[in-house]
Amino acid sequence: MLQYAHIYACVLVLLLGNAVAEYKYETKLFNVPLDHFGYQRNETFNIKYLVNEDHWDRGDGPIFFYTGNEGQIELFAKHTGFMWDIAEEFRAKIVFAEHRYYGASMPFGNKSLDNDHIGYLTAAQALADYAELVNFLQDNSLKPRYPVIAFGGSYGGMLAAYFRMKYPHLVAGAIAASAPVHMFPGMLPCNVYHRIVTSSFVVANITCKENIRQSWSVIRNFVTTKNNTDWLRTQWKLCDPIKNATDVQTLIDFLQSMYETLAMVNYPFATDFLLPLPAYPVRTVCQYLNQKLTGQKLLVAIGNVLEMFTNYTGKSPCVDYKKGNDYGNLDASGWDYQACTEMVMPMCTTGESDMFEPSPWNITKVSEDCHKKYNVYPRPDAARLEYGGDRLFAASNIVFSNGLLDPWAGGGLLSSISDTVKAVVMIDTAHHLDLMPENPNDPESVKIARREHKRNIRQWIREFQQQRENEKKL
Ligand SMILES: *[C@@H]1O[C@H](CO)[C@@H](O)[C@H](O)[C@H]1NC(C)=O
Ligand SMILES: *[C@@H]1O[C@H](CO)[C@@H](O)[C@H](O)[C@H]1NC(C)=O
Ligand SMILES: *[C@@H]1O[C@H](CO)[C@@H](O)[C@H](O)[C@H]1NC(C)=O
Ligand SMILES: *[C@@H]1O[C@H](CO)[C@@H](O)[C@H](O)[C@H]1NC(C)=O
Ligand SMILES: *[C@@H]1O[C@H](CO)[C@@H](O)[C@H](O)[C@H]1NC(C)=O
Ligand SMILES: *[C@@H]1O[C@H](CO)[C@@H](O)[C@H](O)[C@H]1NC(C)=O
Ligand SMILES: *[C@@H]1O[C@H](CO)[C@@H](O)[C@H](O)[C@H]1NC(C)=O
């Protein structure tokens, strides 16, 4: 299970894929200190950010600021259509800021991810970069004139919320979409994520889930002879043969990760983001698994699912199960390090509340693996202590939105904490659909959520402008 951190890392970022939209922006660099929290390392480096001012009211129009998460910033710009869709109406400037240690925002060039250099990769350092960038965008003014609205999805949603919480003097409000801010040790049962993955398959067809649950023992019992592994390799078009127990486990991890990913990106339209998939991919793959199947028939059906998942465009010669779910554009290794330090998100399977083989969460094992890889030990309580866990009573002007078909919703804030820290729940959507561009297939729930977002943003901008008016009168 060594891959676990890695697999979850990948699925967390597997956010946004869908419609191909061409957005225009300028690409810029901004110089930031390597270390915001100490004075002995005086190096600086550049983070990348993208800007569009087409609709901006330079007098006092808002700045829509995307707090970049674990990947190249262009990816998030391309898939966060909501910001682009509403920029004209709000006469907003759009900014997408890249997270340090991802994309081109590397403090030590291609050595940044080495153990000797990776230490300045933390959420707090990234937020401090964003704070300096916002200050610069306000012309270093003592009385900033542009209301800043933070946006983010997934880990980016956590950052958007934390940005408002830590820097309320710089950020007027935050839309935090599918942000698993509760997914820290002790806050939730560790089986929540996989329970939701499973229910997504139950919603498609309960027999589909039962077939998947049966498949693990069928696979393990089948691959005990060379003849059978050869058959399976041909049937499933695997790039590599299955030679030993490690390979079997790797294949099973790949399948599990595939089902998780399908649940997360179960969007109502075809996506071409990290991997091209049809609309409602869970329902689509379940068409192969809706009848009770056993033995080799079940294996043939799962081969069809694998083909849909890996080869929707018909361009993949074979299934590279050893590669893991490591899709382009995203930097899995950076996130893996974050998961090994402050972003400790316990996950387990029970085989009862979910359709997977039981696998406990074992922090000792996780710590040992992290130490081997990065020479660091995780601090399981660090994020809760720094960012407040579910005790956000003193926070304000944040909307946490979640879709209940999104496995990450289990770690989301699902009921409002106050008049200004609000939950928006969409019963029938996957991972932050509300941030994506408008689509004819959008369910009513996401349309309502977007209207609610716009209402809140308007309110935050009004409050900001009211404060400026009040100051002028003094
Ligand atoms: C950074 O610190 C070094 C000594 O550690 C010093 O030589 C150098 O001048 C400093 N650079 C800046 C820009 O402050
Ligand atoms: C790393 O960057 C240096 C300097 O830019 C370059 O000379 C070197 O070839 C790069 N190494 C790799 C493995 O890309
Ligand atoms: C090998 O597998 C094939 C197809 O599953 C089967 O027809 C054949 O009898 C098997 N041969 C042996 C020696 O088990
Ligand atoms: C299992 O086989 C793979 C090649 O398929 C090899 O790379 C790996 O070292 C083997 N593992 C063990 C534990 O024998
Ligand atoms: C599952 O799919 C099968 C085959 O299409 C169908 O007969 C059955 O009614 C479905 N079950 C549910 C609960 O939709
Ligand atoms: C992908 O589709 C192409 C075209 O149908 C086919 O030739 C190829 O074998 C498929 N690859 C996999 C892994 O299914
Ligand atoms: C957790 O992992 C450690 C280290 O690998 C191992 O010694 C221990 O037995 C595991 N605990 C459980 C409950 O599996």
Side-chain angles (χ1 to χ4, degrees), residues 57-166:
D57 173 356
R58 283 155 209 270
D60 60 358
I63 298 174
F64 286 176
F65 190 97
Y66 187 94
T67 48
N69 36 311
E70 70 282 28
Q72 274 186 29
I73 195 59
E74 288 83 356
L75 184 73
F76 303 113
K78 181 174 171 194
H79 294 279
T80 311
F82 178 60
M83 286 169 67
W84 298 96
D85 286 347
I86 67 171
E88 182 169 9
E89 177 180 346
F90 284 89
R91 308 183 71 189
K93 168 168 172 162
I94 294 178
V95 175
F96 283 86
E98 190 165 75
H99 195 297
R100 58 166 58 199
Y101 287 89
Y102 294 97
S105 300
M106 293 291 182
F108 301 97
N110 57 15
K111 293 198 179 71
S112 298
L113 297 174
D114 296 353
N115 285 358
D116 289 346
H117 294 109
I118 202 171
Y120 298 93
L121 169 52
T122 66
Q125 297 276 12
L127 290 172
D129 293 340
Y130 300 157
E132 294 216 359
L133 176 54
V134 163
N135 180 55
F136 166 76
L137 297 172
Q138 301 275 17
D139 301 320
N140 197 24
S141 166
L142 295 179
K143 296 189 194 307
R145 65 200 277 190
Y146 310 116
V148 173
I149 310 296
F151 295 77
S154 201
Y155 169 51
M158 299 165 83
L159 293 173
Y162 299 161
F163 198 23
R164 165 65 190 172
M165 284 160 51
K166 296 293 188 185

Side-chain angles (χ1 to χ4, degrees), residues 222 225 227-228 231 296:
F222 188 75
T225 64
N227 189 10
N228 283 356
W231 178 85
Q296 267 168 284

Side-chain angles (χ1 to χ4, degrees), residues 390-409:
D390 56 4
R391 307 196 63 76
L392 306 184
F393 312 112
S396 64
N397 292 7
I398 305 173
V399 171
F400 289 96
S401 61
N402 281 282
L404 296 187
L405 289 183
D406 173 16
W408 293 103

